[in-house]
Amino acid sequence: MASLAAPALAHGQLAMSTPAKDGTVREPLESLSLYFTEAPAPNAYFAVTAPGGARVDQPWTHGQPKRLDKPVQEYNLVNGFWEPSVYNTGFPAQVPVAYWPARGEYVVRYLSIASDGEPVQGELRFTYKGKTSAPPKGWHAPDNEPDPSLLASAESGSSPQANEPTAGGSLTAMGPTVPEAGGSPAAATQASGSPAAASEPGGTAGTAARAAQPTDSGTGLSVWLVPAVLVLGAGALVVRAARRPAPATTAAERSSGRPQAKKSSRAPAPRTPHRPKSTKRR
């Protein structure tokens, strides 16, 4: 259980393939193997497209079951409860490839229906870097389309992600109403019918909470701009005051710690001998 891969998106989904998804093939293969957690429906549809857009697939067949590289956990709806199931065996669909016309990206598309009625659809891409080959003599590229019943199931049903719990056990409601994991059916779609509201915790309550939150109409900038300018101005004044030089002090002031009295800038008056007024000049 500790080595389980992430839960499959829905019941009967693709679990393993040869070649691997987004892998690289360096030698031509006679057929491709897609392993599902249950055998594909007899009317399942498979198509292999070369880089140029031409189909190179031949009619597919069921293969021998094989043990999966990693167990896959899927959820099944049982009596209104989602219960996990672990799958260790893959049931392959063998899709022969008639020829390899070019190097590049090949796409395998598939469409089937699971035993619980859910659609099984998707695509597998890989890069081919091996030898190229010409089409066999008398080759006619297939032009068949999926069975109408498969198309109806895919269109009327949910997408492969709908009705499936996430790894944490919660459900993502991308389609019709689904029950919560381990509980009774939940109101995945509320009275408004919005699937997006169901995917949020709390359903419409979460939607109402988001609606009640005020939206940013551009006033937030003006609210923060004025305080920011005031703070910058105050900081500039503090820096300017810190950089102002201190008044010079004399050595005497520094030694005594007392400021010296300022000396008068006037020159001293010349001193003349004081003569008494009564003295007569001889």
Side-chain angles (χ1 to χ4, degrees):
M1 293 295 290
S3 62
L4 282 177
L9 297 178
H11 189 54
Q13 292 297 305
L14 180 66
M16 187 175 66
S17 64
T18 303
K21 181 180 180 181
D22 299 327
T24 300
V25 177
R26 303 186 183 277
E27 297 292 337
L29 300 176
E30 293 184 0
S31 63
L32 310 179
S33 300
L34 282 71
Y35 294 86
F36 299 85
T37 55
E38 67 178 23
N43 61 341
Y45 173 81
F46 295 89
V48 182
T49 306
R55 286 183 57 177
V56 294
D57 57 279
Q58 293 179 315
W60 71 276
T61 58
H62 289 97
Q64 292 296 324
K66 179 180 178 180
R67 185 174 182 84
L68 299 175
D69 293 340
K70 289 184 179 181
V72 174
Q73 178 176 290
E74 294 181 343
Y75 287 86
N76 300 315
L77 187 62
V78 179
N79 297 327
F81 292 86
W82 286 101
E83 296 183 358
S85 299
V86 178
Y87 297 86
N88 295 286
T89 303
F91 300 87
Q94 303 288 347
V95 185
V97 178
Y99 69 108
W100 298 88
R103 298 182 178 91
E105 185 180 64
Y106 284 71
V107 182
V108 184
R109 294 182 175 86
Y110 58 90
L111 176 60
S112 182
I113 186 170
S115 58
D116 59 358
E118 290 295 326
V120 178
Q121 58 184 331
E123 64 180 29
L124 168 70
R125 295 175 180 267
F126 64 91
T127 302
Y128 179 71
K129 294 185 178 181
K131 297 180 181 180
T132 60
S133 56
K137 185 178 181 180
W139 166 256
H140 295 284
D143 56 359
N144 62 311
E145 296 294 334
D147 190 286
S149 61
L150 295 177
L151 293 175
S153 174
E155 292 175 358
S156 61
S158 58
S159 64
Q161 292 87 351
N163 304 346
E164 180 60 31
T166 60
S170 59
L171 294 175
T172 55
M174 298 178 63
T177 303
V178 295
E180 294 186 358
S184 57
T189 51
Q190 304 295 334
S192 59
S194 172
S199 62
E200 287 287 332
T204 54
T207 305
R210 291 196 306 272
Q213 295 177 354
T215 57
D216 187 4
S217 58
T219 59
L221 180 61
S222 61
V223 171
W224 287 102
L225 183 60
V226 174
V229 171
L230 294 178
V231 172
L232 291 177
L237 293 177
V238 173
V239 173
R240 184 175 180 183
R243 292 183 178 179
R244 182 177 299 175
T249 58
T250 62
E253 291 177 350
R254 290 192 300 269
S255 61
S256 62
R258 296 179 180 179
Q260 299 292 328
K262 294 184 178 179
K263 295 182 180 181
S264 176
S265 59
R266 296 181 181 179
R271 296 181 180 181
T272 56
H274 181 70
R275 296 177 181 178
K277 294 182 179 180
S278 59
T279 305
K280 291 182 180 181
R281 184 178 300 176
R282 294 180 183 181

